[in-house]
Amino acid sequence: MDGSFERINSSMLKTTPQAGQVVSLVGKVIDFDGVDTATIEAADGGRVTVDQVDPGSFPPPNAICEIMGSPTGETSIQFFICRDLGEDFDLGNYNKLIQNVMKNPKYADIFE
């Protein structure tokens, strides 16, 4: 999946994306049922359900990953693709980046 996608945290999922829009959510894998549903703790600490997960390409619990998908509700995303970012990715810094820089109107032309 190529392209640029809006980067969000769990609170932004409730207000920002439109249905059918592709978004990027980074977080820690909390649970995966081994079939098609996972729970992610997003960079801001909120929980997001990821549906229609491909079990062959999903990282194990405690891994940090980037999920690209389409919002299906205020706390859920339909899975398209996942990138494993390892276990030592700093979610706090990432959350500050998307809240304080990427969503700042001052820098809007950089992240369009």
Side-chain angles (χ1 to χ4, degrees), residues 38-80:
T39 302
I40 303 294
E41 182 178 301
D44 64 346
R47 300 254 171 135
V48 176
T49 301
V50 182
D51 299 310
Q52 300 180 8
V53 171
D54 174 9
S57 67
F58 208 74
N62 297 316
I64 308 297
C65 63
E66 176 184 27
I67 305 284
M68 269 83 56
S70 180
T72 55
E74 290 187 351
T75 61
S76 60
I77 291 179
Q78 177 186 351
F79 175 87
F80 292 162

